[in-house]
Amino acid sequence: MTTTARAYAATSATEPLIATTIERRDVGPRDVLIDIAYSGVCHSDIHTVRGEWGPITYPQVVGHEIVGTVSEVGADVTRYAVGDRVGVGCMVNSCRECVNCLAGMENYCLKGNTQTYTSIDRDGTVTQGGYSTHVVVTEDFVLRVPESIPFEAAAPLLCAGITTYSPLAHWNAGPGTKVAVVGMGGLGHLAVKIAHAMGAEVTVLSQSLSKQDDGLRFGADHYYATSDATTFDTLANTFDLVVNTVSAPVDIQAYLSLLRLDGTIVNVGAPAEPLPVSVFALMGNRRSFAASGIGSISETQEMLDFCAEHNISPEIELIAAADINAAYERVLTSDVRYRFVIDASTI
Amino acid sequence: MTTTARAYAATSATEPLIATTIERRDVGPRDVLIDIAYSGVCHSDIHTVRGEWGPITYPQVVGHEIVGTVSEVGADVTRYAVGDRVGVGCMVNSCRECVNCLAGMENYCLKGNTQTYTSIDRDGTVTQGGYSTHVVVTEDFVLRVPESIPFEAAAPLLCAGITTYSPLAHWNAGPGTKVAVVGMGGLGHLAVKIAHAMGAEVTVLSQSLSKQDDGLRFGADHYYATSDATTFDTLANTFDLVVNTVSAPVDIQAYLSLLRLDGTIVNVGAPAEPLPVSVFALMGNRRSFAASGIGSISETQEMLDFCAEHNISPEIELIAAADINAAYERVLTSDVRYRFVIDASTI
């Protein structure tokens, strides 16, 4: 029996999101039904509903930073029980057969993982995201949210948190390493907190110094404005790792010049157009240019547990669902410190 | 007292190299004077003398794949003695003070190492390369050439050998790894031999199959033509490491698609113009795009010893110095299997 859920949906690329209802699939043997408590607002949501990443089918509900409480479990579910505090991030399934899935790296599924919204689900319908009161997800793609993380603040960890945690962990941010975080938005402010907790020396590279006090409070050791050209001279050949959270095209050569020997710049956002990369800039200091996409399910759980252990919470602004369209406009002007989260009880 | 050496020099960007004489500096306390036996011909030599990498001062002697015999040593030289079989590669000095030099990575000297030709030497003159009968070099930048490597074949190891060995070693080519080598020229054919000796499964990606028999004989396990579009479908998501020896611009996205999870493509040549890189192509499989420049002195010695141990020699065509201009034309049409080496006794 399907579940009727309330939701906020886009009906076209140009119109505001509106309140509606959607049907969630039957709770299958391995599924859990989640009563959504909070849903984070990611810039990706806006790109998607506005068709900026390609045409989509409307109506479409977005949102992939979901926390809630399990309210029903299928007959074969073993990991979760009614009442559990859980989360769902950017993906809700994968092929489970390719070499990456078999290695537990579902986020790099070679057939493309099933994203939380706009993907074709196993029942043939288009997946619908978290701006909603309920969602049904196979237990294998459900995370456990530690009790010590405030529920509403946990939501952004499911995308912004894992997206920054994964490259920091993979490229060994830690004691003795120098990490730069480019951009102080939803992803960047979490990258600062996580990298600091990992023990790295953290530098923020932001367009201006307007968020400097926040950055230092979140754990940054240094804070520079990229609008100041001397920044790039001052910091030349400095960093082991630069995590670029800015999706818009940047002057990648300028950031490459900041890497010391064997340093890596990793993009966690992707501009639509290719970036021109000078091989000479890579060859100096044997630098690498890489990109990272969210994280695996096991790594997402590891991240949540890490955040609980280190008292890391995103900085959020809680909004009612009816405010979502205004919130979108504020995201587009970077007028949010640092993540909007929808109170699902208002949907 | 300076040494007068015979040499072949470029006198302009457009005229043939001509026989001439040059003065080599006094043998200082830490210097060795080398009677050059053989000098390899690198594509870089041609780019340089023709001004394709920027204006240079003429006359200019090029050549940075030098082997010879020590004929005089300075008072404080400790590592070499008269009669030793030695080599000199792409660099003859570095700042010795920067963090990379102090780490023994002189090839990544932050002030720029002193290249074997076209650099300003410590006596203020422009360094002159190996198409010559003699050269004076500080002992710290001289390599020992193992007895078991044929002398004339050892020359190309000093540039082509270390340029390919270094990334193969750094990115852990070895048993269980799949390595692709793009291009089957002077660098590529050595990359195949070295990667095979390291224990990797080696695939050559060449424009055509014209050198397939050679490639398999050198140790490649597989050989594909990049002119065949199905090659890129067949080999998608396959390699841990792609070593791109082609300096001309390539479709980097096509090669990125060949990398499996956490794979790296490393350029050892550098096209003059930036390459457009799709961040989405990097994000799939968490790929990296990197570049590598020659190798340190200690790693170059390691490479020579590795080649001796594994009986690796470049395939060469020995030429008389008077044939250098004709050889250049043949390099430009890829009509060389696989490296020209000048017999310095003919200079």
Side-chain angles (χ1 to χ4, degrees), chain A residues 100 105 108 170 261-262 269 271 274-277 279 282-283 285-292, chain B residues 100 105 108 170 261-262 269 274-277 279-280 282-283 285-292:
Chain A
N100 291 350
M105 304 290 279
Y108 296 112
H170 180 69
L261 186 66
D262 292 325
L275 296 179
V277 176
V279 178
L282 290 173
M283 197 171 281
N285 274 337
R286 190 164 54 185
R287 299 167 172 121
S288 293
F289 178 36
S292 173
Chain B
N100 291 350
M105 302 291 278
Y108 297 112
H170 180 69
L261 186 67
D262 292 326
L275 296 179
V277 176
V279 179
F280 284 101
L282 291 173
M283 198 172 281
N285 273 338
R286 189 163 54 186
R287 300 169 172 119
S288 292
F289 178 35
S292 174

mmCIF file of all heavy atoms in Angstrom, chain A residues 100 105 108 170 261-262 269 271 274-277 279 282-283 285-292, chain B residues 100 105 108 170 261-262 269 274-277 279-280 282-283 285-292:
data_model
loop_
_atom_site.group_PDB
_atom_site.id
_atom_site.type_symbol
_atom_site.label_atom_id
_atom_site.label_comp_id
_atom_site.label_asym_id
_atom_site.label_seq_id
_atom_site.Cartn_x
_atom_site.Cartn_y
_atom_site.Cartn_z
ATOM 1 N N ASN A 100 32.789 -1.107 -8.479
ATOM 2 C CA ASN A 100 32.787 -0.086 -7.423
ATOM 3 C C ASN A 100 31.744 -0.392 -6.351
ATOM 4 O O ASN A 100 32.019 -0.247 -5.156
ATOM 5 C CB ASN A 100 32.554 1.303 -8.023
ATOM 6 C CG ASN A 100 33.742 1.775 -8.866
ATOM 7 O OD1 ASN A 100 34.805 1.152 -8.850
ATOM 8 N ND2 ASN A 100 33.557 2.855 -9.593
ATOM 9 N N MET A 105 31.725 1.189 -2.732
ATOM 10 C CA MET A 105 31.833 2.580 -3.169
ATOM 11 C C MET A 105 30.657 2.908 -4.082
ATOM 12 O O MET A 105 30.822 3.238 -5.256
ATOM 13 C CB MET A 105 33.163 2.795 -3.905
ATOM 14 C CG MET A 105 34.388 2.418 -3.088
ATOM 15 S SD MET A 105 34.714 3.552 -1.706
ATOM 16 C CE MET A 105 35.533 4.871 -2.613
ATOM 17 N N TYR A 108 30.283 5.795 -6.492
ATOM 18 C CA TYR A 108 30.936 5.764 -7.801
ATOM 19 C C TYR A 108 30.421 4.599 -8.652
ATOM 20 O O TYR A 108 31.120 4.110 -9.538
ATOM 21 C CB TYR A 108 32.456 5.709 -7.632
ATOM 22 C CG TYR A 108 33.011 6.943 -6.963
ATOM 23 C CD1 TYR A 108 33.557 6.892 -5.683
ATOM 24 C CD2 TYR A 108 32.956 8.174 -7.603
ATOM 25 C CE1 TYR A 108 34.047 8.034 -5.054
ATOM 26 C CE2 TYR A 108 33.435 9.334 -6.986
ATOM 27 C CZ TYR A 108 33.985 9.247 -5.717
ATOM 28 O OH TYR A 108 34.464 10.391 -5.112
ATOM 29 N N HIS A 170 40.027 11.041 2.332
ATOM 30 C CA HIS A 170 40.746 10.295 1.289
ATOM 31 C C HIS A 170 42.144 10.860 1.051
ATOM 32 O O HIS A 170 43.094 10.112 0.834
ATOM 33 C CB HIS A 170 39.954 10.311 -0.011
ATOM 34 C CG HIS A 170 40.615 9.558 -1.128
ATOM 35 N ND1 HIS A 170 40.745 8.196 -1.114
ATOM 36 C CD2 HIS A 170 41.223 9.976 -2.269
ATOM 37 C CE1 HIS A 170 41.389 7.804 -2.210
ATOM 38 N NE2 HIS A 170 41.689 8.866 -2.916
ATOM 39 N N LEU A 261 54.617 20.486 -3.047
ATOM 40 C CA LEU A 261 54.979 19.238 -3.709
ATOM 41 C C LEU A 261 53.939 18.150 -3.410
ATOM 42 O O LEU A 261 53.591 17.917 -2.253
ATOM 43 C CB LEU A 261 56.359 18.778 -3.217
ATOM 44 C CG LEU A 261 56.944 17.560 -3.921
ATOM 45 C CD1 LEU A 261 57.252 17.854 -5.375
ATOM 46 C CD2 LEU A 261 58.199 17.081 -3.198
ATOM 47 N N ASP A 262 53.476 17.518 -4.474
ATOM 48 C CA ASP A 262 52.512 16.416 -4.388
ATOM 49 C C ASP A 262 51.159 16.836 -3.832
ATOM 50 O O ASP A 262 50.377 15.985 -3.379
ATOM 51 C CB ASP A 262 53.080 15.243 -3.586
ATOM 52 C CG ASP A 262 54.219 14.576 -4.328
ATOM 53 O OD1 ASP A 262 54.170 14.516 -5.564
ATOM 54 O OD2 ASP A 262 55.183 14.129 -3.668
ATOM 55 N N GLY A 269 32.430 20.483 -6.329
ATOM 56 C CA GLY A 269 31.367 20.956 -7.197
ATOM 57 C C GLY A 269 31.888 20.881 -8.617
ATOM 58 O O GLY A 269 33.091 20.755 -8.835
ATOM 59 N N PRO A 271 31.570 22.738 -12.369
ATOM 60 C CA PRO A 271 31.019 23.681 -13.342
ATOM 61 C C PRO A 271 30.605 22.932 -14.609
ATOM 62 O O PRO A 271 31.179 21.896 -14.941
ATOM 63 C CB PRO A 271 32.184 24.640 -13.620
ATOM 64 C CG PRO A 271 33.406 23.938 -13.178
ATOM 65 C CD PRO A 271 33.012 22.933 -12.146
ATOM 66 N N PRO A 274 34.051 22.636 -19.204
ATOM 67 C CA PRO A 274 35.410 22.220 -18.825
ATOM 68 C C PRO A 274 36.251 23.408 -18.373
ATOM 69 O O PRO A 274 36.055 24.533 -18.846
ATOM 70 C CB PRO A 274 35.971 21.629 -20.120
ATOM 71 C CG PRO A 274 34.777 21.245 -20.924
ATOM 72 C CD PRO A 274 33.711 22.244 -20.586
ATOM 73 N N LEU A 275 37.174 23.159 -17.458
ATOM 74 C CA LEU A 275 38.104 24.196 -17.010
ATOM 75 C C LEU A 275 39.421 24.055 -17.777
ATOM 76 O O LEU A 275 39.937 22.947 -17.904
ATOM 77 C CB LEU A 275 38.391 24.032 -15.513
ATOM 78 C CG LEU A 275 37.228 24.225 -14.553
ATOM 79 C CD1 LEU A 275 37.702 23.994 -13.115
ATOM 80 C CD2 LEU A 275 36.643 25.625 -14.682
ATOM 81 N N PRO A 276 39.978 25.154 -18.268
ATOM 82 C CA PRO A 276 41.284 25.059 -18.928
ATOM 83 C C PRO A 276 42.388 24.850 -17.898
ATOM 84 O O PRO A 276 42.522 25.637 -16.958
ATOM 85 C CB PRO A 276 41.431 26.413 -19.632
ATOM 86 C CG PRO A 276 40.497 27.333 -18.942
ATOM 87 C CD PRO A 276 39.444 26.517 -18.238
ATOM 88 N N VAL A 277 43.147 23.765 -18.045
ATOM 89 C CA VAL A 277 44.181 23.414 -17.071
ATOM 90 C C VAL A 277 45.552 23.423 -17.750
ATOM 91 O O VAL A 277 45.768 22.717 -18.739
ATOM 92 C CB VAL A 277 43.917 22.019 -16.473
ATOM 93 C CG1 VAL A 277 45.056 21.613 -15.543
ATOM 94 C CG2 VAL A 277 42.592 22.012 -15.733
ATOM 95 N N VAL A 279 49.143 22.253 -18.121
ATOM 96 C CA VAL A 279 49.927 21.101 -17.693
ATOM 97 C C VAL A 279 51.223 21.560 -17.024
ATOM 98 O O VAL A 279 51.726 20.902 -16.110
ATOM 99 C CB VAL A 279 50.197 20.154 -18.881
ATOM 100 C CG1 VAL A 279 51.051 18.970 -18.449
ATOM 101 C CG2 VAL A 279 48.881 19.658 -19.470
ATOM 102 N N LEU A 282 50.552 21.943 -13.452
ATOM 103 C CA LEU A 282 50.510 20.648 -12.769
ATOM 104 C C LEU A 282 51.921 20.101 -12.547
ATOM 105 O O LEU A 282 52.221 19.500 -11.514
ATOM 106 C CB LEU A 282 49.716 19.627 -13.593
ATOM 107 C CG LEU A 282 48.204 19.821 -13.718
ATOM 108 C CD1 LEU A 282 47.641 18.811 -14.711
ATOM 109 C CD2 LEU A 282 47.522 19.659 -12.363
ATOM 110 N N MET A 283 52.785 20.323 -13.546
ATOM 111 C CA MET A 283 54.121 19.717 -13.508
ATOM 112 C C MET A 283 54.986 20.336 -12.413
ATOM 113 O O MET A 283 55.795 19.643 -11.791
ATOM 114 C CB MET A 283 54.783 19.860 -14.873
ATOM 115 C CG MET A 283 55.959 18.942 -15.082
ATOM 116 S SD MET A 283 56.528 18.960 -16.799
ATOM 117 C CE MET A 283 55.326 17.900 -17.599
ATOM 118 N N ASN A 285 55.845 21.100 -8.957
ATOM 119 C CA ASN A 285 55.427 20.464 -7.700
ATOM 120 C C ASN A 285 54.623 19.173 -7.876
ATOM 121 O O ASN A 285 54.021 18.688 -6.931
ATOM 122 C CB ASN A 285 54.619 21.428 -6.820
ATOM 123 C CG ASN A 285 55.496 22.294 -5.940
ATOM 124 O OD1 ASN A 285 56.634 21.922 -5.653
ATOM 125 N ND2 ASN A 285 55.000 23.434 -5.505
ATOM 126 N N ARG A 286 54.605 18.615 -9.106
ATOM 127 C CA ARG A 286 53.889 17.346 -9.336
ATOM 128 C C ARG A 286 52.480 17.391 -8.740
ATOM 129 O O ARG A 286 52.064 16.539 -7.948
ATOM 130 C CB ARG A 286 54.704 16.179 -8.747
ATOM 131 C CG ARG A 286 54.169 14.813 -9.135
ATOM 132 C CD ARG A 286 55.158 13.694 -8.906
ATOM 133 N NE ARG A 286 55.687 13.646 -7.550
ATOM 134 C CZ ARG A 286 56.635 12.802 -7.137
ATOM 135 N NH1 ARG A 286 57.152 11.935 -7.989
ATOM 136 N NH2 ARG A 286 57.078 12.819 -5.903
ATOM 137 N N ARG A 287 51.732 18.422 -9.123
ATOM 138 C CA ARG A 287 50.395 18.622 -8.554
ATOM 139 C C ARG A 287 49.354 17.748 -9.238
ATOM 140 O O ARG A 287 49.540 17.308 -10.368
ATOM 141 C CB ARG A 287 50.006 20.087 -8.716
ATOM 142 C CG ARG A 287 50.941 21.039 -7.987
ATOM 143 C CD ARG A 287 50.717 22.468 -8.420
ATOM 144 N NE ARG A 287 51.467 23.411 -7.615
ATOM 145 C CZ ARG A 287 52.371 24.272 -8.106
ATOM 146 N NH1 ARG A 287 52.628 24.295 -9.408
ATOM 147 N NH2 ARG A 287 52.993 25.103 -7.305
ATOM 148 N N SER A 288 48.246 17.550 -8.539
ATOM 149 C CA SER A 288 47.112 16.811 -9.088
ATOM 150 C C SER A 288 45.838 17.645 -9.001
ATOM 151 O O SER A 288 45.635 18.399 -8.050
ATOM 152 C CB SER A 288 46.877 15.507 -8.315
ATOM 153 O OG SER A 288 47.938 14.598 -8.507
ATOM 154 N N PHE A 289 45.008 17.469 -10.018
ATOM 155 C CA PHE A 289 43.676 18.075 -10.048
ATOM 156 C C PHE A 289 42.684 16.920 -10.040
ATOM 157 O O PHE A 289 42.737 16.046 -10.908
ATOM 158 C CB PHE A 289 43.529 18.922 -11.315
ATOM 159 C CG PHE A 289 42.184 19.576 -11.504
ATOM 160 C CD1 PHE A 289 41.449 20.051 -10.433
ATOM 161 C CD2 PHE A 289 41.670 19.740 -12.784
ATOM 162 C CE1 PHE A 289 40.221 20.665 -10.624
ATOM 163 C CE2 PHE A 289 40.440 20.359 -12.986
ATOM 164 C CZ PHE A 289 39.717 20.816 -11.909
ATOM 165 N N ALA A 290 41.808 16.901 -9.049
ATOM 166 C CA ALA A 290 40.896 15.779 -8.881
ATOM 167 C C ALA A 290 39.498 16.292 -8.552
ATOM 168 O O ALA A 290 39.295 17.495 -8.348
ATOM 169 C CB ALA A 290 41.400 14.851 -7.770
ATOM 170 N N ALA A 291 38.566 15.389 -8.516
ATOM 171 C CA ALA A 291 37.212 15.737 -8.083
ATOM 172 C C ALA A 291 36.644 14.559 -7.306
ATOM 173 O O ALA A 291 37.052 13.415 -7.517
ATOM 174 C CB ALA A 291 36.324 16.073 -9.271
ATOM 175 N N SER A 292 35.728 14.867 -6.411
ATOM 176 C CA SER A 292 35.170 13.871 -5.503
ATOM 177 C C SER A 292 33.662 14.063 -5.451
ATOM 178 O O SER A 292 33.176 15.198 -5.438
ATOM 179 C CB SER A 292 35.802 14.078 -4.119
ATOM 180 O OG SER A 292 35.218 13.263 -3.138
ATOM 181 N N ASN B 100 61.842 21.881 -1.460
ATOM 182 C CA ASN B 100 61.923 20.705 -2.326
ATOM 183 C C ASN B 100 63.362 20.225 -2.493
ATOM 184 O O ASN B 100 63.629 19.020 -2.457
ATOM 185 C CB ASN B 100 61.292 21.010 -3.689
ATOM 186 C CG ASN B 100 59.782 21.178 -3.592
ATOM 187 O OD1 ASN B 100 59.177 20.898 -2.565
ATOM 188 N ND2 ASN B 100 59.169 21.662 -4.658
ATOM 189 N N MET B 105 64.398 16.661 -3.765
ATOM 190 C CA MET B 105 63.582 16.667 -4.978
ATOM 191 C C MET B 105 63.984 17.863 -5.834
ATOM 192 O O MET B 105 63.181 18.763 -6.096
ATOM 193 C CB MET B 105 62.098 16.759 -4.586
ATOM 194 C CG MET B 105 61.638 15.633 -3.676
ATOM 195 S SD MET B 105 61.580 14.021 -4.512
ATOM 196 C CE MET B 105 59.983 14.186 -5.326
ATOM 197 N N TYR B 108 62.057 19.486 -8.676
ATOM 198 C CA TYR B 108 60.954 20.401 -8.382
ATOM 199 C C TYR B 108 61.437 21.637 -7.615
ATOM 200 O O TYR B 108 60.668 22.268 -6.884
ATOM 201 C CB TYR B 108 59.832 19.669 -7.636
ATOM 202 C CG TYR B 108 59.214 18.565 -8.457
ATOM 203 C CD1 TYR B 108 59.370 17.232 -8.117
ATOM 204 C CD2 TYR B 108 58.481 18.863 -9.603
ATOM 205 C CE1 TYR B 108 58.814 16.213 -8.891
ATOM 206 C CE2 TYR B 108 57.921 17.859 -10.387
ATOM 207 C CZ TYR B 108 58.095 16.539 -10.018
ATOM 208 O OH TYR B 108 57.542 15.543 -10.796
ATOM 209 N N HIS B 170 56.204 6.609 -8.588
ATOM 210 C CA HIS B 170 55.443 7.425 -7.632
ATOM 211 C C HIS B 170 53.995 6.961 -7.514
ATOM 212 O O HIS B 170 53.433 6.951 -6.426
ATOM 213 C CB HIS B 170 55.492 8.888 -8.050
ATOM 214 C CG HIS B 170 54.740 9.792 -7.124
ATOM 215 N ND1 HIS B 170 55.166 10.046 -5.841
ATOM 216 C CD2 HIS B 170 53.568 10.467 -7.263
ATOM 217 C CE1 HIS B 170 54.304 10.865 -5.253
ATOM 218 N NE2 HIS B 170 53.330 11.122 -6.085
ATOM 219 N N LEU B 261 38.389 3.464 -10.562
ATOM 220 C CA LEU B 261 38.287 4.196 -9.295
ATOM 221 C C LEU B 261 39.673 4.597 -8.793
ATOM 222 O O LEU B 261 40.569 3.746 -8.697
ATOM 223 C CB LEU B 261 37.581 3.327 -8.255
ATOM 224 C CG LEU B 261 37.263 4.015 -6.920
ATOM 225 C CD1 LEU B 261 36.228 5.116 -7.102
ATOM 226 C CD2 LEU B 261 36.768 2.998 -5.899
ATOM 227 N N ASP B 262 39.813 5.882 -8.486
ATOM 228 C CA ASP B 262 41.058 6.441 -7.936
ATOM 229 C C ASP B 262 42.236 6.380 -8.895
ATOM 230 O O ASP B 262 43.391 6.496 -8.481
ATOM 231 C CB ASP B 262 41.431 5.771 -6.600
ATOM 232 C CG ASP B 262 40.436 6.143 -5.522
ATOM 233 O OD1 ASP B 262 39.936 7.281 -5.542
ATOM 234 O OD2 ASP B 262 40.145 5.292 -4.666
ATOM 235 N N GLY B 269 54.649 15.083 -20.756
ATOM 236 C CA GLY B 269 54.894 16.168 -21.696
ATOM 237 C C GLY B 269 53.872 17.248 -21.428
ATOM 238 O O GLY B 269 52.871 16.999 -20.759
ATOM 239 N N PRO B 274 46.644 25.399 -22.375
ATOM 240 C CA PRO B 274 45.908 24.621 -21.372
ATOM 241 C C PRO B 274 44.961 23.611 -22.024
ATOM 242 O O PRO B 274 44.468 23.846 -23.130
ATOM 243 C CB PRO B 274 45.106 25.692 -20.625
ATOM 244 C CG PRO B 274 45.831 26.967 -20.866
ATOM 245 C CD PRO B 274 46.434 26.848 -22.233
ATOM 246 N N LEU B 275 44.741 22.494 -21.350
ATOM 247 C CA LEU B 275 43.795 21.485 -21.835
ATOM 248 C C LEU B 275 42.454 21.686 -21.132
ATOM 249 O O LEU B 275 42.422 21.862 -19.916
ATOM 250 C CB LEU B 275 44.305 20.079 -21.513
ATOM 251 C CG LEU B 275 45.602 19.631 -22.177
ATOM 252 C CD1 LEU B 275 45.968 18.216 -21.715
ATOM 253 C CD2 LEU B 275 45.452 19.665 -23.687
ATOM 254 N N PRO B 276 41.355 21.656 -21.874
ATOM 255 C CA PRO B 276 40.040 21.757 -21.213
ATOM 256 C C PRO B 276 39.712 20.458 -20.491
ATOM 257 O O PRO B 276 39.732 19.387 -21.103
ATOM 258 C CB PRO B 276 39.079 22.016 -22.371
ATOM 259 C CG PRO B 276 39.778 21.548 -23.595
ATOM 260 C CD PRO B 276 41.251 21.534 -23.332
ATOM 261 N N VAL B 277 39.445 20.539 -19.196
ATOM 262 C CA VAL B 277 39.197 19.358 -18.370
ATOM 263 C C VAL B 277 37.785 19.425 -17.781
ATOM 264 O O VAL B 277 37.441 20.390 -17.090
ATOM 265 C CB VAL B 277 40.227 19.254 -17.230
ATOM 266 C CG1 VAL B 277 39.902 18.087 -16.315
ATOM 267 C CG2 VAL B 277 41.632 19.115 -17.799
ATOM 268 N N VAL B 279 35.219 18.627 -15.122
ATOM 269 C CA VAL B 279 35.237 18.205 -13.724
ATOM 270 C C VAL B 279 34.321 16.992 -13.521
ATOM 271 O O VAL B 279 34.583 16.143 -12.678
ATOM 272 C CB VAL B 279 34.858 19.369 -12.796
ATOM 273 C CG1 VAL B 279 34.846 18.921 -11.344
ATOM 274 C CG2 VAL B 279 35.831 20.532 -12.984
ATOM 275 N N PHE B 280 33.264 16.898 -14.319
ATOM 276 C CA PHE B 280 32.408 15.715 -14.220
ATOM 277 C C PHE B 280 33.192 14.441 -14.560
ATOM 278 O O PHE B 280 33.016 13.405 -13.932
ATOM 279 C CB PHE B 280 31.197 15.844 -15.151
ATOM 280 C CG PHE B 280 30.145 16.780 -14.634
ATOM 281 C CD1 PHE B 280 30.040 18.070 -15.134
ATOM 282 C CD2 PHE B 280 29.276 16.389 -13.630
ATOM 283 C CE1 PHE B 280 29.075 18.941 -14.647
ATOM 284 C CE2 PHE B 280 28.307 17.249 -13.131
ATOM 285 C CZ PHE B 280 28.208 18.536 -13.647
ATOM 286 N N LEU B 282 36.342 13.994 -14.048
ATOM 287 C CA LEU B 282 37.185 13.704 -12.886
ATOM 288 C C LEU B 282 36.367 13.077 -11.759
ATOM 289 O O LEU B 282 36.838 12.190 -11.043
ATOM 290 C CB LEU B 282 37.842 14.984 -12.368
ATOM 291 C CG LEU B 282 38.920 15.642 -13.233
ATOM 292 C CD1 LEU B 282 39.320 16.983 -12.620
ATOM 293 C CD2 LEU B 282 40.146 14.744 -13.354
ATOM 294 N N MET B 283 35.137 13.575 -11.597
ATOM 295 C CA MET B 283 34.326 13.162 -10.445
ATOM 296 C C MET B 283 33.891 11.702 -10.563
ATOM 297 O O MET B 283 33.802 10.991 -9.561
ATOM 298 C CB MET B 283 33.121 14.091 -10.312
ATOM 299 C CG MET B 283 32.459 14.038 -8.962
ATOM 300 S SD MET B 283 31.205 15.323 -8.783
ATOM 301 C CE MET B 283 32.212 16.771 -8.439
ATOM 302 N N ASN B 285 34.476 8.095 -10.739
ATOM 303 C CA ASN B 285 35.644 7.287 -10.330
ATOM 304 C C ASN B 285 36.715 8.065 -9.557
ATOM 305 O O ASN B 285 37.819 7.558 -9.379
ATOM 306 C CB ASN B 285 36.303 6.613 -11.543
ATOM 307 C CG ASN B 285 35.660 5.282 -11.877
ATOM 308 O OD1 ASN B 285 35.023 4.672 -11.025
ATOM 309 N ND2 ASN B 285 35.806 4.826 -13.103
ATOM 310 N N ARG B 286 36.383 9.286 -9.103
ATOM 311 C CA ARG B 286 37.342 10.078 -8.305
ATOM 312 C C ARG B 286 38.728 10.098 -8.964
ATOM 313 O O ARG B 286 39.742 9.755 -8.351
ATOM 314 C CB ARG B 286 37.418 9.502 -6.885
ATOM 315 C CG ARG B 286 38.213 10.380 -5.925
ATOM 316 C CD ARG B 286 37.956 10.043 -4.465
ATOM 317 N NE ARG B 286 38.155 8.645 -4.134
ATOM 318 C CZ ARG B 286 37.887 8.106 -2.955
ATOM 319 N NH1 ARG B 286 37.406 8.865 -1.975
ATOM 320 N NH2 ARG B 286 38.084 6.825 -2.727
ATOM 321 N N ARG B 287 38.735 10.483 -10.224
ATOM 322 C CA ARG B 287 39.979 10.458 -11.001
ATOM 323 C C ARG B 287 40.852 11.678 -10.721
ATOM 324 O O ARG B 287 40.364 12.718 -10.276
ATOM 325 C CB ARG B 287 39.643 10.417 -12.488
ATOM 326 C CG ARG B 287 38.837 9.194 -12.893
ATOM 327 C CD ARG B 287 38.298 9.327 -14.302
ATOM 328 N NE ARG B 287 37.689 8.097 -14.772
ATOM 329 C CZ ARG B 287 36.405 7.972 -15.123
ATOM 330 N NH1 ARG B 287 35.582 9.007 -15.030
ATOM 331 N NH2 ARG B 287 35.942 6.815 -15.549
ATOM 332 N N SER B 288 42.132 11.543 -11.025
ATOM 333 C CA SER B 288 43.082 12.651 -10.897
ATOM 334 C C SER B 288 43.810 12.879 -12.209
ATOM 335 O O SER B 288 44.112 11.939 -12.940
ATOM 336 C CB SER B 288 44.125 12.359 -9.810
ATOM 337 O OG SER B 288 43.541 12.352 -8.526
ATOM 338 N N PHE B 289 44.080 14.150 -12.458
ATOM 339 C CA PHE B 289 44.896 14.562 -13.607
ATOM 340 C C PHE B 289 46.147 15.208 -13.034
ATOM 341 O O PHE B 289 46.054 16.154 -12.254
ATOM 342 C CB PHE B 289 44.100 15.544 -14.464
ATOM 343 C CG PHE B 289 44.843 16.085 -15.667
ATOM 344 C CD1 PHE B 289 45.751 15.320 -16.382
ATOM 345 C CD2 PHE B 289 44.596 17.384 -16.107
ATOM 346 C CE1 PHE B 289 46.407 15.818 -17.501
ATOM 347 C CE2 PHE B 289 45.253 17.903 -17.230
ATOM 348 C CZ PHE B 289 46.157 17.121 -17.923
ATOM 349 N N ALA B 290 47.312 14.679 -13.384
ATOM 350 C CA ALA B 290 48.555 15.153 -12.795
ATOM 351 C C ALA B 290 49.620 15.281 -13.875
ATOM 352 O O ALA B 290 49.413 14.904 -15.032
ATOM 353 C CB ALA B 290 49.017 14.176 -11.708
ATOM 354 N N ALA B 291 50.746 15.828 -13.503
ATOM 355 C CA ALA B 291 51.885 15.892 -14.408
ATOM 356 C C ALA B 291 53.154 15.696 -13.594
ATOM 357 O O ALA B 291 53.194 15.990 -12.398
ATOM 358 C CB ALA B 291 51.920 17.219 -15.158
ATOM 359 N N SER B 292 54.166 15.181 -14.260
ATOM 360 C CA SER B 292 55.412 14.826 -13.592
ATOM 361 C C SER B 292 56.574 15.324 -14.441
ATOM 362 O O SER B 292 56.535 15.229 -15.670
ATOM 363 C CB SER B 292 55.457 13.293 -13.443
ATOM 364 O OG SER B 292 56.685 12.847 -12.935
#
